[in-house]
Amino acid sequence: MADEETKGHSSHFLENKTIVIAGAGLAGSAFVVGLQKLWNPKLNPPTIIIFERDAPEIADQRETYTLSLTGFDNSGGLVALKNLGLLDHALKHAISGLDGAGAFKIWDSSWNEQVAFRRKPAAGIPSTSVRIARKDIRQVLHDAFDLGNQCSIHWDSKCISTTQLPDGRLRVRVVQGENAHEIEQESATEPSSGDTLCHGGAVLRGGVARFEEALPKLPGEDWGFVVSRTGVSAFFAPVDKHRIFWAVGRNEDQVCNLDRSSPTQLQAVIEQSLDLGSHIAEPFRSIVRRTDPETALLLNSRDKLPFAHDSISKVPAVFLGDSNHALSAFAGIGGNLALVDGWDLADQICKHSSLEDAVKVYDSLSVPRAMRDVKRSRRLVKGAHDTGLHYYLLLCMLFVGKFVRWALNKMGR
């Protein structure tokens, strides 16, 4: 009788409903963990079905690179992991950034340090920034899933379309392997908003180099950019104690493509990178020369400004992470936004009595945050590939910013 009385006085708009998550990446996975963590145990939980387009082994191969997760404000991935109760688990996989070892830096082409970015971390966060492999972060999230009758994940299953039904639900068409089948359920996340990515002009070529011995002294445990007045930038980040990810970028007029099934094209990425970065001092050439061609990549700088869910009352689909605000690979902050998106949406859904109210508050947090970071990313891409006077103006701004941060730290702010 007590349970019946409780049910009569308390309810939630997602009780006994079904939520479809299109993609088991960071944003959708963080949302699932957050919703399960924050859900009122007195209420019947929703059923959560996650569809991931890749098989587990393919997903691991695609995500060997590391992410920079920050912890100096509420937009950082480390803060989101703390809210999810997973910070300690995630930090066990940190490659660098803990105990004062490693920081984000900018060097010139002779590896002279121009700026080192160190800020005061938020309360309860041990570091301003750490690097962790994306596959390890995702695995930490997946290990936290409460899988069972109310939550399941289906690998090698791609959501390819949705159709709204007369009763307001969404029919989600899923292709699994060779077979296609349809399900009729409510959806919390959607695979694509139907808009397009904007090309930022820069092209990124890179790969993963392996050293049998220790990594080179530079960059060592640090990560960041080499910039020069040539218009060519380079990025370096440790993957583990024997591997380092590198990338060379420059502005190019046309969008470039890479056929990963062609050994010739994969090797050409390495050779062209050596040519583009020929002005960068050692250990640049030694790093690039040790690259496994199978890890070679070619990415175009593309992004997408965020949007609010103005039609949520008509179409119950929420776009998280890249489906809402894709960032260029040059930005290095997409993982942070994905984790914070997932947490914020789960938090607002559990606090509000309707999807419309929850998403309205969520948008008020997510859209300005992503708008700021997309614009910041565009400035970074432009600045990293500036030449002549613009390059020297960039250096001046970096030094001014460094002085301001130093002054604020001295004042305890």
Side-chain angles (χ1 to χ4, degrees):
M1 178 66 70
D3 288 342
E4 292 181 359
E5 290 178 356
T6 299
K7 294 292 183 184
H9 291 286
S10 180
S11 64
H12 192 276
F13 62 91
L14 284 181
E15 267 197 290
N16 300 314
K17 299 291 180 64
T18 299
I19 303 172
V20 173
I21 309 290
L26 300 189
S29 298
F31 168 74
V32 173
V33 176
L35 189 66
Q36 291 182 331
K37 176 182 175 65
L38 298 172
W39 188 260
N40 184 347
K42 296 180 180 179
L43 305 178
N44 294 323
T47 297
I48 301 173
I49 303 176
I50 308 163
F51 292 107
E52 168 56 44
R53 67 178 180 179
D54 293 326
E57 62 275 12
I58 299 299
D60 284 345
Q61 293 173 9
R62 289 162 59 98
E63 299 179 355
T64 55
Y65 57 90
T66 59
L67 299 174
S68 177
L69 298 183
T70 61
F72 51 82
D73 61 24
N74 289 334
S75 65
L78 296 179
V79 176
L81 288 168
K82 180 176 181 292
N83 291 333
L84 292 166
L86 300 177
L87 180 59
D88 290 341
H89 297 285
L91 291 179
K92 292 177 182 178
H93 299 280
I95 304 300
S96 60
L98 291 176
D99 300 322
F104 177 77
K105 295 183 177 181
I106 293 180
W107 300 272
D108 65 17
S109 58
S110 298
W111 291 95
N112 297 309
E113 182 182 309
Q114 303 299 303
V115 179
F117 291 87
R118 292 184 175 91
R119 298 184 181 182
K120 183 179 180 181
I125 306 297
S127 176
T128 298
S129 179
V130 301
R131 292 202 72 87
I132 306 176
R134 188 182 190 279
K135 66 182 181 66
D136 290 334
I137 291 296
R138 191 167 80 155
Q139 191 59 54
V140 167
L141 293 167
H142 289 188
D143 288 343
F145 288 170
D146 184 10
L147 296 174
N149 293 332
Q150 304 300 132
C151 181
S152 60
I153 181 169
H154 300 267
W155 297 94
D156 198 19
S157 302
K158 184 178 180 180
C159 297
I160 60 174
S161 66
T162 59
T163 304
Q164 190 166 24
L165 303 175
D167 63 1
R169 293 183 301 163
L170 296 180
R171 173 183 288 135
V172 183
R173 188 165 185 259
V174 179
V175 175
Q176 186 172 35
E178 300 262 335
N179 302 315
H181 63 279
E182 293 185 356
I183 58 174
E184 296 182 6
Q185 292 166 338
E186 293 192 16
S187 173
T189 61
E190 243 274 74
S192 173
S193 62
D195 50 356
T196 58
L197 295 171
C198 300
H199 179 48
V203 176
L204 190 76
R205 295 172 176 85
V208 177
R210 181 175 181 83
F211 289 78
E212 295 301 325
E213 64 279 14
L215 296 178
K217 184 177 180 181
L218 287 170
E221 293 186 274
D222 297 322
W223 63 95
F225 284 95
V226 169
V227 296
S228 67
R229 60 186 177 185
T230 65
V232 174
S233 70
F235 177 81
F236 301 89
V239 175
D240 53 36
K241 293 183 180 301
H242 296 282
R243 293 184 298 165
I244 184 169
F245 171 80
W246 63 269
V248 173
R250 72 166 176 176
N251 286 325
E252 299 185 21
D253 294 333
Q254 295 182 337
V255 173
C256 300
N257 296 298
L258 174 65
D259 180 1
R260 299 203 58 79
S261 65
S262 169
T264 301
Q265 289 195 27
L266 294 174
Q267 185 61 39
V269 168
I270 297 173
E271 297 302 325
Q272 189 167 10
S273 298
L274 284 167
D275 183 57
L276 290 171
S278 60
H279 62 288
I280 302 176
E282 281 285 12
F284 173 77
R285 294 189 67 83
S286 297
I287 292 173
V288 177
R289 282 296 185 194
R290 296 184 185 224
T291 301
D292 178 0
E294 291 295 321
T295 68
L297 58 83
L298 191 155
L299 300 173
N300 296 282
S301 174
R302 295 177 172 177
D303 61 30
K304 179 175 61 178
L305 292 174
F307 58 89
H309 299 82
D310 296 327
S311 301
I312 192 67
S313 59
K314 297 179 180 179
V315 183
V318 182
F319 297 84
L320 297 178
D322 286 349
S323 68
N324 185 280
H325 44 68
L327 277 92
S328 163
F330 288 83
I333 51 178
N336 292 278
L337 288 183
L339 291 168
V340 177
D341 275 2
W343 167 259
D344 278 348
L345 181 61
D347 185 34
Q348 298 307 321
I349 280 180
C350 290
K351 286 179 177 178
H352 290 85
S353 59
S354 72
L355 182 63
E356 292 79 5
D357 290 343
V359 172
K360 182 178 180 180
V361 177
Y362 166 75
D363 280 343
S364 72
L365 299 171
S366 175
V367 172
R369 177 172 61 219
M371 185 72 73
R372 176 200 66 200
D373 287 343
V374 171
K375 291 181 177 180
R376 181 183 295 169
S377 169
R378 291 178 177 179
R379 291 194 299 270
L380 174 63
V381 172
K382 182 181 183 301
H385 304 103
D386 274 338
T387 59
L389 178 61
H390 292 288
Y391 168 72
Y392 291 107
L393 288 175
L394 170 66
L395 290 184
C396 288
M397 288 188 293
L398 291 175
F399 280 116
V400 170
K402 181 178 182 179
F403 173 77
V404 171
R405 286 188 294 273
W406 174 83
L408 292 176
N409 285 334
K410 284 293 184 180
M411 291 186 292
R413 297 178 63 182

